[in-house]
Amino acid sequence: MELEICEKVKSLSEQAEIDLKNEFEKVDEICLYNSQKVLDAFVKNRVSYSDFQDINGYGFYDGGRDKLEKIFAEVLGAEDALVRPQMMSGTNAIALALSALLHYGDTMISITGLPYDSLRGIIGLSGNSSQSLKNNGVKYEQIELVDDDFDYNKIGKRLKKHNVKLVEIQRSTGYSTRKSLTIAQIEKVCTVIKDADPNVIIMVDNCYGELVETKEPCQVGADIVVGSLMKNLGGGIASSGGYVAGKKELVEMVADRLTAPCIGKSLGANFNQNILFFKGLYMAPNAVKGALKTAIFSSYMLEKLGFSGVSPRYNEPRTDIIQKFDLGSAENLTKFCQGLQNGSPIDAFVTVLPGPMPGYPFDEVMAAGTFTQGSTIELSADAPVCEPYTLYMQGGLTYEYGKLGVMVALSKMLN
Ligand SMILES: *Cc1c(COP(=O)(O)O)cnc(C)c1O
């Protein structure tokens, strides 16, 4: 069997290439800028073959691992970074960072409303783990966004009481209906926060946002950022891992929590992953470019085909790699996901169907024909099967593969 693409989709995609020229140029420019940032860091830090040779056992004096962390820090505009396979995902890295930075009696505030699904158990908003922050005496408060922007007044007022330890900002939309936050908005809110209380720690959940703009949160006032290597900065090459980057003393606290107090970053073999992490970061600006162009293309196609809830629109500025659209029916959702899976390199022959998922109130349908299981810098999509049948799609290691996947998905849905 080969890729099935219908005439209607094919001709609309030709028009898309013409109409999206300007949008794609902007993405190319950002990719060039961020590629230079990455290459500068490689050259400056004299990466060499010997850096790929991991040290086993305790991993003491692994120069490659240390260099990798220095390069990640530079790319993220941070003082220091922790980049390890022992942080197994973004959720793991966030749980680790929060539990390192927050102790009994401390208060954290989310200023982007309800956090991403997998963070709720960490905080104690769902489930009842004895390891949740709540069950360890950490207080939690939440300030909602107003019209997809921070509630600057409310945030400033709350922080003037000087009893908040940490503010959490989620850059990406995640599985919510809001828009993602731009670096400009994050800069503005960091100023408000630090004016009100210079001692508060500003932590940004950076998942899906990395390298989408030319600046990163630590360059505009954030103290620490956290993310997953199965997303943007893994470049589709890293096969696991997470990162934390920011102020040196904060990164050290997280490292002490990961390994052991007073040992911190010096412990930990990387299981021959160094080369994958280096190469993943090297490829990351381009992988993000592929994902962004795929998102822009799909946004255009869905809008022209008359679907609603397309967000961001194809010509709107972007600050993460997620594309949302409402497909209007369970059948459309399922067909689109089936087509996307058929247009993927791995498990293309699988027919995906909606099914129950632990922890989710509705059946979920998803497509992920990815080399790395669950990797979302690779083309993937998922949706809860409920009104208005919104699909969340992201990734695409190259635009060409992403575009083909979307064309197969649309053909399957329309026919
Ligand atoms: C994906 C994501 C996470 C969790 O990362 P995983 O690697 O999936 O554990 C956290 N926050 C946001 C906003 C995300 O998009």
Side-chain angles (χ1 to χ4, degrees):
M1 203 179 86
E2 40 191 66
L3 297 179
E4 286 176 23
I5 296 169
C6 68
E7 276 313 313
K8 185 175 178 185
V9 168
K10 206 181 280 175
S11 63
L12 187 57
S13 79
E14 279 156 21
Q15 189 59 42
E17 288 300 329
I18 297 164
D19 293 350
L20 294 176
K21 213 162 168 287
N22 277 343
E23 307 310 317
F24 285 174
E25 262 171 28
K26 285 182 224 162
V27 174
D28 289 337
E29 271 171 36
I30 289 172
C31 179
L32 179 63
Y33 183 92
N34 284 328
S35 296
Q36 182 164 351
K37 193 153 69 166
V38 169
L39 188 55
D40 274 345
F42 270 71
V43 171
K44 194 173 136 201
N45 286 286
R46 305 167 68 97
V47 178
S48 190
Y49 288 112
S50 55
D51 296 318
F52 303 153
Q53 189 57 59
D54 296 19
I55 292 177
N56 64 8
Y58 293 90
F60 289 149
Y61 312 112
D62 185 337
R65 179 198 63 203
D66 296 346
K67 206 175 268 186
L68 175 81
E69 292 181 331
K70 220 162 158 241
I71 291 173
F72 260 76
E74 282 179 26
V75 169
L76 290 164
E79 288 173 11
D80 200 359
L82 186 68
V83 184
R84 300 291 172 109
Q86 289 86 3
M87 287 186 272
M88 293 164 277
S89 68
T91 305
N92 192 184
I94 292 166
L96 183 74
L98 288 174
S99 59
L101 302 175
L102 293 164
H103 301 111
Y104 190 91
D106 287 342
T107 297
M108 79 169 273
I109 302 189
S110 162
I111 57 167
T112 42
L114 189 64
Y116 187 77
D117 306 60
S118 68
L119 270 70
R120 296 173 199 164
I122 301 171
I123 294 166
L125 298 172
S126 69
N128 190 21
S129 168
S130 65
Q131 299 305 306
S132 73
L133 293 170
K134 185 175 155 200
N135 282 336
N136 283 282
V138 175
K139 286 167 267 177
Y140 172 81
E141 295 173 27
Q142 187 172 305
I143 296 177
E144 302 303 319
L145 293 168
V146 179
D147 298 328
D148 291 335
D149 201 352
F150 294 106
D151 194 340
Y152 299 97
N153 279 335
K154 199 166 179 183
I155 292 165
K157 248 189 221 153
R158 175 63 191 85
L159 285 159
K160 282 201 176 109
K161 292 183 189 160
H162 290 265
N163 59 356
V164 174
K165 181 75 180 289
L166 181 143
V167 169
E168 204 250 353
I169 296 171
Q170 184 182 309
R171 183 173 174 185
S172 165
T173 165
Y175 301 115
S176 70
T177 50
R178 70 158 166 103
K179 286 192 166 42
S180 293
L181 291 153
T182 63
I183 289 292
Q185 286 170 305
I186 292 173
E187 179 163 29
K188 189 172 162 193
V189 85
C190 285
T191 307
V192 169
I193 293 166
K194 295 286 171 168
D195 281 351
D197 182 356
N199 293 320
V200 74
I201 299 168
I202 303 176
M203 183 180 116
V204 175
D205 174 353
N206 211 20
C207 284
Y208 287 136
E210 303 97 337
L211 304 179
V212 175
E213 296 193 52
T214 53
K215 279 189 184 168
E216 293 295 324
C218 287
Q219 294 172 288
V220 298
D223 297 303
I224 188 160
V225 292
V226 188
S228 166
L229 297 187
M230 269 94 73
K231 295 182 179 171
N232 303 18
L233 292 187
I237 307 282
S239 53
S240 183
Y243 74 87
V244 173
K247 295 254 170 72
K248 199 168 179 54
E249 81 257 21
L250 300 178
V251 172
E252 249 157 40
M253 286 166 77
V254 179
D256 275 2
R257 188 75 177 186
L258 176 67
T259 61
C262 303
I263 294 177
K265 291 179 70 183
S266 58
L267 180 67
N270 273 3
F271 310 118
N272 294 315
Q273 297 274 309
N274 277 0
I275 186 167
L276 299 183
F277 291 170
F278 277 114
K279 200 172 175 185
L281 181 64
Y282 180 74
M283 295 306 291
N286 203 63
V288 169
K289 179 175 85 174
L292 284 172
K293 286 188 179 176
T294 302
I296 291 166
F297 174 76
S298 68
S299 176
Y300 177 95
M301 296 292 280
L302 269 296
E303 181 173 316
K304 297 295 172 191
L305 289 166
F307 286 88
S308 60
V310 180
S311 174
R313 290 194 59 208
Y314 63 87
N315 53 5
E316 259 181 296
R318 285 175 190 257
T319 183
D320 71 6
I321 62 167
I322 299 182
Q323 181 63 49
K324 287 176 276 199
F325 31 80
D326 300 343
L327 292 180
S329 73
E331 195 194 349
N332 278 348
L333 262 190
T334 305
K335 285 252 174 78
F336 189 95
C337 286
Q338 287 176 347
L340 206 68
Q341 184 77 29
N342 295 153
S344 296
I346 311 300
D347 281 346
F349 53 87
V350 166
T351 303
V352 300
L353 291 169
M357 276 260 288
Y360 288 82
F362 300 98
D363 279 1
E364 293 274 325
V365 60
M366 45 182 74
T370 56
F371 288 86
T372 296
Q373 187 196 56
S375 166
T376 44
I377 186 64
E378 300 182 50
L379 185 62
S380 52
D382 51 75
V385 184
C386 63
E387 297 260 1
Y389 304 99
T390 305
L391 187 80
Y392 297 81
M393 196 189 83
Q394 64 277 313
L397 290 181
T398 74
Y399 169 53
E400 289 75 10
Y401 288 133
K403 175 178 170 175
L404 287 167
V406 171
M407 287 169 77
V408 177
L410 286 172
S411 301
K412 180 106 183 176
M413 184 176 74
L414 295 177
N415 293 300

